[in-house]
């Protein structure tokens, strides 16, 4: 098994059967070996720098009905909000003062934010903060919309493929959404010159080592600049309320594997990882991650962007507590940097 890890590091790829073996026969010994290698590779490319992104969750209206997600349209039990342009700019202002040089605009698929409104918003942010990167995470759109966003100045786009396998995708999403369309969007975004982030939930209902192996093969083929993975965590008002959460261990293991497969990728230690354990994000960094995305949304809205239960938005997950996060990174020998943190392969 250790030979497989060595082979992955050397060739940055594996066959499907080899992935399945690695994913289904995880041991503490193997994990330790993996994290050591992953950290070495990450240090080789990025040193001990940890990049930060200010996450602005600007709308929780959504026209989609993903079975896992707490802001799905069928959930009538949450109050909905959308931030005004002024509120979003004020988040950016606060973030800029704190040292953030990337703003991530994430939201449900909210028709109120038409392409024109989005383009206007992006233009304004880039005018005010020309030295900052703007990342969008607003789901599946037509190529013309993505092009408009790019022309308005958006630099990056996060769109997790969620799961590669069509039947598994169908298990997680309603009929009108498809794995192939989502994947197509990712290639379109790449071709338009975005730095692209994909990814998936770990331990989502019905996930198997075989499906995860296919996720790894898909990511190898897409070769994205960023990969966001985090454990699935159930939300009480969704069809998956009674399902088991994904584990910290498997998420960390996958982060290590991703670091070896895509050595120069930007890999966030995600909020959901922090939801499973107080030290989740520190452990994520020690498994090979190099990005953290603290919450920069207005305080009164944070709890309403409830993708899953007990989603953290205080402590080191809150942008205003950046000093605390710096301290936590220092504790493990890493350093938060104020830098756009662009992809090395871009
Ligand atoms: N509407 C945007 C943003 C979605 S929210 C889009 O479609 O891309 C961002 C990510 O949160 C999703 O891609 C999904 O992987 C994750 N997420 C949603 N519900 C979750 C849950 N219950 N547990 C863990 N992660 C979840």
């Amino acid at each position: 098994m250790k030979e497989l890890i060595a082979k992955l590091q050397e060739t940055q790829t594996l066959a499907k059967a080899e992935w399945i073996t690695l994913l289904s026969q995880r041991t503490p010994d193997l994990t330790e070996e993996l994290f050591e290698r992953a950290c070495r590779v990450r240090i080789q490319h990025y040193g001990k720098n940890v990049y930060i992104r200010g996450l602005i969750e600007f709308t929780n209206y959504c026209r989609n009905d993903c079975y896992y997600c707490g802001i799905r349209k069928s959930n009538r039990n949450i109050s909905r909000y959308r931030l005004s342009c002024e509120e979003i700019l004020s988040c950016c202002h606060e973030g800029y003062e704190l040292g953030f040089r990337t703003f991530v605009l994430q939201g449900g698929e909210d028709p109120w934010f038409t392409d024109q409104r989005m383009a206007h918003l992006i233009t304004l942010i880039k005018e005010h903060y020309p030295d900052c990167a703007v990342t969008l995470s607003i789901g599946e759109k037509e190529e013309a919309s993505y092009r408009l966003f790019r022309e308005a100045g958006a630099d990056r786009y996060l769109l997790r493929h969620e799961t590669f396998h069509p039947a598994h995708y169908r298990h997680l999403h309603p009929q009108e959404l498809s794995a192939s369309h989502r994947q197509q969007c990712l290639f379109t975004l790449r071709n338009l010159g975005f730095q692209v982030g994909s990814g998936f939930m770990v331990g989502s209902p019905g996930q198997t080592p075989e499906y995860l192996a296919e996720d790894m093969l898909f990511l190898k083929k897409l070769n994205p600049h960023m990969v966001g993975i985090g454990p699935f965590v159930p939300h009480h008002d969704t069809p998956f309320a009674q399902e088991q959460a994904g584990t910290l261990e498997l998420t960390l293991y996958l982060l290590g594997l991703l670091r070896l497969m895509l050595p120069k990728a930007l890999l966030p230690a995600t909020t959901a990882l922090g939801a499973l354990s107080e030290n989740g994000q520190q452990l994520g960094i020690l498994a090979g991650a190099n990005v953290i995305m603290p919450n920069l949304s207005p305080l009164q809205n944070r709890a309403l962007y409830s993708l899953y239960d007990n989603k953290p938005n205080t402590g080191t997950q809150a942008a205003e507590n950046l000093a605390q996060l710096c301290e936590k990174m220092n504790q493990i020998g890493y350093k938060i940097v104020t830098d756009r943190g662009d992809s090395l392969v871009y």
Side-chain angles (χ1 to χ4, degrees), residues 228-279:
I229 64 164
F232 158 76
V233 182
H235 182 289
H236 64 280
D237 275 325
T238 62
F240 289 159
Q242 305 304 327
E243 300 286 343
Q244 291 272 319
T247 65
L248 182 67
E249 290 72 23
L250 183 56
T251 309
L252 295 172
Y253 187 72
L254 280 157
L255 274 174
L257 293 175
L258 283 166
R259 174 57 65 204
L260 294 190
M261 181 175 81
L262 301 169
K264 293 184 180 171
L266 290 152
L267 293 180
T270 54
T271 310
L273 195 55
L276 291 193
S277 149
E278 178 79 0
N279 296 327

Side-chain angles (χ1 to χ4, degrees), residues 7 14 18 22-23 42 81 83 204 236 269 290 300 337:
K7 179 175 173 194
L14 289 177
E18 294 172 321
L22 268 186
L23 288 162
R42 192 264 328 276
Y81 74 91
L83 303 185
S204 60
H236 64 280
N290 63 338
Q300 68 272 20
V337 291

Side-chain angles (χ1 to χ4, degrees), residues 313-325:
N313 60 41
T314 56
T316 53
Q317 303 271 7
E320 62 277 14
N321 298 331
L322 194 58
Q324 223 175 300
L325 183 65

Side-chain angles (χ1 to χ4, degrees), residues 145-268:
S145 313
Y146 288 149
R147 180 174 293 113
L148 193 69
F149 303 157
R150 182 83 187 107
E151 284 165 1
D155 303 275
R156 310 182 186 140
Y157 205 103
L158 305 180
L159 185 79
R160 291 182 174 181
H161 70 280
E162 310 296 1
T163 180
F164 176 79
H165 197 89
H168 188 224
Y169 197 89
R170 175 67 48 251
H171 187 66
L172 303 180
H173 301 92
Q175 195 66 43
E176 54 279 14
L177 299 174
S178 75
S180 61
H181 186 260
R182 207 160 169 95
Q183 291 158 19
Q184 193 47 55
C185 285
L186 283 159
F187 288 103
T188 302
L189 287 162
R190 259 201 87 103
N191 290 339
L192 287 170
F194 283 95
Q195 293 177 50
V196 172
S198 191
F200 54 88
M201 288 179 292
V202 178
S204 60
Q207 190 175 64
T208 62
E210 183 181 353
Y211 292 164
L212 280 173
E214 292 179 14
D215 288 325
M216 297 306 266
L217 293 172
F218 170 72
L219 287 171
K220 186 70 207 175
K221 180 168 156 216
L222 176 67
N223 191 22
H225 305 88
M226 308 168 276
V227 181
I229 64 164
F232 158 76
V233 182
H235 182 289
H236 64 280
D237 275 325
T238 62
F240 289 159
Q242 305 304 327
E243 300 286 343
Q244 291 272 319
T247 65
L248 182 67
E249 290 72 23
L250 183 56
T251 309
L252 295 172
Y253 187 72
L254 280 157
L255 274 174
L257 293 175
L258 283 166
R259 174 57 65 204
L260 294 190
M261 181 175 81
L262 301 169
K264 293 184 180 171
L266 290 152
L267 293 180

